[in-house]
Amino acid sequence: MGFWFLVCIFSLSSFYASSRAEGGNVEGTIFIDGKSAIGMIDEDFICATLDWWPPEKCDYGTCSWGHASLINLDLNDKILVNAIKAFTPLKIRLGGTLQDKVIYDTEDNQLPCVQFVRNSSEMFGFTQGCLPMYRWDELNAFFKKTGVKVVFGLNALAGRSIQPDGSAAGPWNYSNAESFIRYTVQKNYPIYGWELGNELSGNGVGTRVAADQYAADMISLYKIVQRTYIGMDSKPLIIAPGGFYDATWFQEFLYMTGNSVDVMTHHIYNLGPGVDEHLVEKILDPSYLDGEASTFSGLQNILKTSETSARAWVGESGGAYNSGHNLVSNAFVYSFWYLDELGMASTYDTKSYCRQSLIGGNYGLLNTTTFVPNPDYYSALLWHRLMGRNVLSTTFSGTKSIRAYAHCAKKSKGITLLLINLNNTTTVQVNIAFNSTWIQQHRPSHHRSHRPHKRKVLHQRSANGLTREEYHLTAKDGNLHSQTMLLNGNILTVNSSGDIPSMEPVYVNSSNPIVVAPFSIVFAHLPQVLPVCW
């Protein structure tokens, strides 16, 4: 680890040196179109995951999961309880790689209920595991106490056989899953959505299921939910496939499922393996970040051109796969990637975004051992509190180092801006222009330096006397690898009672530009009310 850190510092020094061309202070302008929304996110857009990995899950010689799985997580920890309650509500997706090796210890189960055991000859490196019903009861008591919206990932490999070519053949044997769903309904446990399978679409991870067979299985799940929840006012969402985006596979799957699927979920690990020593360079490279737009755009187009009413979620996203990387994916620098992902996903009408993970691995929102929030937790909480459902079209002119997004404000009048400065030496003074009419050849790009063909400026700067709220996020001592985040210069940390800190803004005269310091993130709540935000 020490060697890797020295290598990282050396490569970062070179990268930072190459990014100092601007330096000092520059001006830029964010243009916001308030005429109509380009997307609408769910009220509970922020989502996190809880996984099945046992302590023996190790990557690159590091075992980073500890007691963070659905089976052994300490549900009584005060910080954990408070961290979830702060969202009111937090959507949590229960699942991950090992979900397709889980049996449910309901009355119909004839197999021993034993836990995962490390075995390198087994698919995914572990033997079959089991969810005891007493643990399911404990989890649901915890979810009720903390106000969680539960999305449960079901085992989609039950009954299938692995073929010589690596594919999984045969129909889904849903008997154990149906028994588990019946148990859940009998106990009156609220489920927001049932999701089938994890990373079995397209080429799959470990194995794969053909789109036509997966579609048939989804219709089976739809029928199970319809008959099990019969007579109830609302039914859980039917969700799939929880895998990596593959246009051909997704199109075929959607065509064959009809209206049996409510949500199409896809996974994102666009930064590569956690062992990659260039993770930070990728995060700080605007062109690299732009690359994920093609996935969002592709899925959005498929949904628009199909007859389905399904909407898109990011069902799991950890950035760097194989558990992330210590002091990167659990440090301040990751908020650049994470918040940019949230902003970009929103502009393509993604309804929800599930972060891998709430706790566990090196990419948890909470520290695996202490439960203390990592920087991305506070980034997620600020987004949840400030960014409303309506997504506004924006462009930024002045520097490529600024990533800019805008939404109608949440539960208040006005709009909220998210500004991310990827440059380590340049302070950007951001002016604001509101546009009523944009006529362009192409869809507005929300972060590139770009000028629309026609622009009607309603307000370049607000009238004197109005104030806006600003939340400036920086790393402690300016160290991107710090696991301590500062809000307006003050350290964010839980107190001795495990309480999440209040996050108060600073108030700034709206006639002044927004000052975005080097390597910083700013949320700004503006008092202007646009037509789309009425």
Side-chain angles (χ1 to χ4, degrees), residues 57-135:
K57 159 67 171 171
C58 305
D59 302 280
Y60 318 118
T62 300
C63 307
S64 58
W65 283 87
H67 289 78
S69 84
L70 288 163
I71 297 298
N72 57 32
L73 181 63
D74 180 3
L75 304 178
N76 295 312
D77 185 87
K78 290 181 180 179
I79 298 178
L80 176 64
V81 170
N82 291 337
I84 295 174
K85 281 185 174 181
F87 283 87
T88 59
L90 179 63
K91 188 186 298 170
I92 297 183
R93 179 242 188 183
L94 313 179
T97 300
L98 294 184
Q99 78 179 55
D100 291 316
K101 303 197 77 168
V102 174
I103 58 173
Y104 317 111
D105 196 25
T106 54
E107 291 182 353
D108 74 313
N109 178 42
Q110 304 299 314
L111 299 173
C113 190
V114 295
Q115 292 313 310
F116 299 107
V117 176
R118 181 77 179 171
N119 186 333
S120 58
S121 64
E122 289 272 348
M123 182 183 296
F124 310 131
F126 286 88
T127 61
Q128 183 174 266
C130 177
L131 175 61
M133 290 303 94
Y134 74 83
R135 180 59 176 179

Side-chain angles (χ1 to χ4, degrees), residues 14 24 154 163 173 175 179 187 202 222 234 348 390 413 489 520:
S14 301
L154 295 164
Q163 302 303 296
N173 182 342
S175 59
S179 178
K187 287 284 191 173
Y222 172 81
S234 62
Y348 290 98
N390 284 348
K413 294 181 179 180
S520 75

